[in-house]
Amino acid sequence: MAEIEGNAVVANALKEQGVQFVFGIVGYPVIELGMAIQTAGIHYIGMRNEQAACYAAQAIGYLTGTPGVCLVVSGPGLIHAFGGMANAQVNCWPLLVIGGSVAQDHEGIGGFQECVPTQVELARPYCKYAARPASIHLIPMHVEKAMRLCKYGRPGVSYLDFPGNLLTTLVPEEAIPKQYLCPEPPLIYPNPRSIEEASRILLGAQRPLVILGKGAAYSKAEREVRELIENTNLPFLATPMGKGVVSDNSTKCVASARSHALQKADVILLVGARLNWILHFGRPPRFDPEVKIIQIDINAEEMHNSIKSAVAIQSDIKPAVAQITDILKAKRFNFGSDKQWWKELKLKCDGNKKGVEALAMDTTPPLNYYTVFHHIQEILPKNCIIVSEGANTMDIGRAMLFNDLPRHRLDAGTFGTMGVGLGFAIAAALYCRHYEPSKKVICVEGDSAFGFSGMEIETIVRYKLPIIIVIVNNSGIYSGVDKEIFEEMQSSGDVTQTTPPTVLSFATRYESMLNMFDRKGYFCTTIPEIQTSLKEALETNDRPSVINVIISPTADRKPQTFTWLTESKL
């Protein structure tokens, strides 16, 4: 009678549930599990850091809708992954983490990498579901449940724990039950009365605004949302990863007047976005105290968060938006461009764009963020996937690098996590390789952000991923200092006392990391150098490129009406 090992049971269960990609770092007791995963026909990507592996797995889950898997070793391996698990849980991205753990007969006596309390208990705060199958026979059931809970309702994280002795146990193959394939999540339809009330409020709005969040992108509701915007002529804004649900280049996009639009709108339709710090909690002074918020969200617990909404609609985005559009179309509603609100918004947009254009046209070295991004945008191919990470690099890049399609921008997200960039880029490049091979991946990193996961360059080279990494290097965290001041700091006593916490080494040659692989990166200080380097990088299809762009250490964003982070007044 044929026998099967626990490792093969886990791998086969993942394959049966549609898993395509596993990212991880193997060691005791999961080396053989990594091999079994490849034997089952699943793509295994060996990373250099568990956090980066976790970031890559959740990004592939966001891009495909099928949870990616992160495979880690026991103890420290799992604990390193908690940063990625927390990010996926807060970001609402589907992710399954599988951890090896100490053999059960070594528990309680100081086994190798034994965790106390158990790994299941340690993982539980970062998960929707955490479990250890009690026997090999129960593995397929737990894998199905873990996958299902990753995807159902608000997407998130599942964790499965596998002791070393369970993975190496042999049982008769026929004793392993077949588990059904996890069904697609049920579609949640809105309460018709809530849709009618929302439509009534929109019909009476004098200063309406639509805000599109990454929930609208993840739900693939772009067709319904675009029909709403095009049919009603409503102005809209997008959160960072809501960009592209409706094109940034749409005439209805008022991103250039974001502060004014938020502050003066009297009715806001919130589509798959949350009233958290990214949207200043929906509170004054960033919002009108009397603003009426219409929320559409799949998660009931998100309703009325921070402020009381006028209408709270628990629903999938597609049916809710489609039904509102149908009612507004039946009423022949069109918010004409001759309205005073549109005139205000366009005036603000034009004024703000002129200010940005002045910064973007200043090509005198040392460069600023705006001119770098403007001249990168001129060269970028249409509809590439943009990964963005950093402080000013990410925030300014959001306004300067455009998206015409949804799910084409990946950044630090709701949790504001630094270190996600190269993991996200690896996932995006694998997605493109398997689904859209003509598409390019551009990873735009601040120099500080790059430092969190820079060794994943080896991973990128090993798997022949043609990711273009652009490092916008200001020699610091938020800001650095120029060469003369840095050298003075280095020569004046104890550098731990003379070097400010935000300062990094001046103009570090990060592009030289490619020399480790007998390849050459690009070092740029001028716009012609940047554009020439980017054009050359875009011609390569089997290897990464690193373009290190040196900008002024004191470069900053343009003056803001408000500080970027709303302060508590409590």
Side-chain angles (χ1 to χ4, degrees):
M1 183 181 296
E3 291 187 311
I4 189 169
E5 190 180 53
N7 286 304
V9 174
V10 175
N12 292 341
L14 293 173
K15 182 68 172 179
E16 288 170 1
Q17 295 302 327
V19 170
Q20 296 175 285
F21 300 94
V22 175
F23 304 81
I25 299 178
V26 297
Y28 178 81
V30 297
I31 296 173
E32 290 79 10
L33 178 52
M35 295 176 179
I37 283 167
Q38 288 183 311
T39 300
I42 298 170
H43 301 284
Y44 178 82
I45 301 91
M47 306 284 283
R48 300 305 300 267
N49 177 280
E50 287 93 352
Q51 281 191 19
C54 214
Y55 297 141
Q58 64 195 256
I60 206 74
Y62 172 72
L63 291 169
T64 65
T66 298
V69 175
C70 177
L71 176 65
V72 297
V73 302
S74 52
L78 175 63
I79 290 170
H80 289 169
F82 284 164
M85 293 167 69
N87 188 72
Q89 189 73 352
V90 173
N91 230 24
C92 310
W93 285 3
L95 167 69
L96 171 59
V97 176
I98 290 176
S101 62
V102 63
Q104 288 161 303
D105 57 328
H106 288 179
E107 288 183 335
I109 57 173
F112 176 66
Q113 294 185 332
E114 178 184 2
C115 283
V116 180
T118 67
Q119 291 183 179
V120 172
E121 292 306 310
L122 286 171
R124 205 177 298 281
Y126 310 105
C127 297
K128 295 176 69 179
Y129 179 67
R132 171 193 285 182
S135 70
I136 287 183
H137 311 85
L138 294 173
I139 288 174
M141 182 194 78
H142 280 283
V143 169
E144 185 281 328
K145 183 173 182 180
M147 292 286 287
R148 176 161 37 89
L149 294 189
C150 284
K151 297 196 292 183
Y152 277 42
R154 173 181 277 182
V157 184
S158 290
Y159 172 69
L160 292 178
D161 192 68
F162 293 99
N165 61 307
L166 185 68
L167 292 173
T168 57
T169 298
L170 290 168
V171 298
E173 192 166 358
E174 64 181 21
I176 302 300
K178 289 287 183 183
Q179 187 68 18
Y180 57 81
L181 176 65
C182 168
E184 284 301 302
L187 195 63
I188 299 176
Y189 281 82
N191 184 324
R193 285 179 294 181
S194 297
I195 293 294
E196 290 171 5
E197 178 63 10
S199 302
R200 184 190 66 78
I201 292 173
L202 283 168
L203 286 166
Q206 298 301 307
R207 299 182 302 280
L209 180 67
V210 179
I211 299 178
L212 307 174
K214 71 173 174 287
Y218 179 76
S219 65
K220 300 184 178 179
E222 52 268 24
R223 183 179 67 82
E224 289 78 7
V225 173
R226 290 180 181 193
E227 186 176 1
L228 169 69
I229 298 298
E230 291 303 318
N231 276 280
T232 61
N233 200 46
L234 289 169
F236 77 90
L237 294 170
T239 64
M241 275 188 281
K243 283 162 59 72
V245 173
V246 181
S247 171
D248 288 341
N249 293 302
S250 167
T251 57
K252 317 298 191 300
C253 179
V254 293
S256 297
R258 184 179 189 272
S259 292
H260 185 81
L262 294 179
Q263 194 177 23
K264 300 298 183 181
D266 65 348
V267 173
I268 292 176
L269 177 61
L270 198 65
V271 183
R274 289 176 276 176
L275 291 176
N276 54 24
W277 67 273
I278 292 175
L279 289 175
H280 319 291
F281 315 108
R283 298 178 180 178
R286 304 300 295 265
F287 286 72
D288 187 315
E290 304 301 320
V291 65
K292 294 179 180 178
I293 302 285
I294 301 166
Q295 277 183 286
I296 304 175
D297 201 286
I298 199 166
N299 185 39
E301 286 76 13
E302 191 60 42
M303 303 306 177
H304 310 293
N305 181 51
S306 182
I307 66 167
K308 186 179 186 300
S309 297
V311 186
I313 304 170
Q314 184 188 10
S315 173
D316 278 278
I317 302 297
K318 287 184 177 183
V321 170
Q323 290 178 26
I324 289 173
T325 302
D326 287 344
I327 291 175
L328 297 182
K329 284 172 66 177
K331 299 285 187 180
R332 300 185 183 278
F333 173 77
N334 184 281
F335 196 77
S337 299
D338 60 340
K339 299 276 190 181
Q340 181 59 34
W341 179 229
W342 261 122
K343 292 177 181 177
E344 284 181 36
L345 293 172
K346 288 178 177 176
L347 187 64
K348 280 286 182 183
C349 283
D350 291 343
N352 289 337
K353 285 177 181 177
K354 286 179 182 177
V356 169
E357 286 170 3
L359 289 167
M361 293 300 108
D362 180 5
T363 59
T364 307
L367 303 171
N368 68 67
Y369 289 101
Y370 293 90
T371 193
V372 168
F373 289 135
H374 172 78
H375 290 88
I376 286 175
Q377 177 66 46
E378 287 186 331
I379 304 296
L380 286 184
K382 189 174 177 62
N383 297 330
C384 57
I385 294 180
I386 299 171
V387 179
S388 187
E389 180 184 21
N392 289 341
T393 299
M394 181 175 65
D395 292 341
I396 299 171
R398 178 189 67 206
M400 300 293 293
L401 302 176
F402 304 132
N403 295 102
D404 288 326
L405 297 176
R407 301 172 297 282
H408 279 59
R409 177 184 167 90
L410 305 174
D411 69 21
T414 310
F415 210 29
T417 306
M418 291 296 103
V420 299
L422 296 193
F424 282 6
I426 288 167
L430 288 164
Y431 171 82
C432 291
R433 173 179 289 176
H434 289 273
Y435 297 101
E436 298 187 67
S438 64
K439 201 174 287 288
K440 296 290 186 179
V441 176
I442 315 296
C443 182
V444 185
E445 300 265 300
D447 53 322
S448 171
F450 176 76
F452 282 81
S453 58
M455 274 311 298
E456 296 302 335
I457 280 185
E458 188 276 330
T459 308
I460 295 169
V461 171
R462 185 169 13 113
Y463 291 108
K464 301 181 179 179
L465 300 174
I467 299 165
I468 299 172
I469 302 168
V470 179
I471 301 171
V472 185
N473 188 346
N474 72 341
S475 305
I477 304 170
Y478 297 108
S479 62
V481 294
D482 62 30
K483 184 178 181 180
E484 291 75 18
I485 295 174
F486 181 75
E487 289 176 347
E488 184 180 332
M489 289 174 179
Q490 292 283 291
S491 61
S492 58
D494 186 346
V495 292
T496 64
Q497 293 289 306
T498 60
T499 306
T502 62
V503 170
L504 301 175
S505 296
F506 180 78
T508 300
R509 299 295 297 261
Y510 296 109
E511 81 286 352
S512 297
M513 291 180 73
L514 284 182
N515 294 346
M516 296 186 292
F517 312 102
D518 294 325
R519 293 173 181 175
K520 182 176 176 292
Y522 303 94
F523 181 81
C524 305
T525 59
T526 68
I527 293 303
E529 289 172 343
I530 295 170
Q531 292 197 325
T532 298
S533 300
L534 185 54
K535 287 175 182 176
E536 288 182 13
L538 287 167
E539 293 175 358
T540 62
N541 294 310
D542 64 345
R543 58 185 170 86
S545 302
V546 177
I547 302 173
N548 186 16
V549 178
I550 306 302
I551 67 169
S552 169
T554 57
D556 203 351
R557 66 189 79 193
K558 70 182 184 67
Q560 305 290 306
T561 305
F562 297 96
T563 57
W564 69 273
L565 184 61
T566 300
E567 298 296 326
S568 171
K569 303 300 181 185
L570 298 179

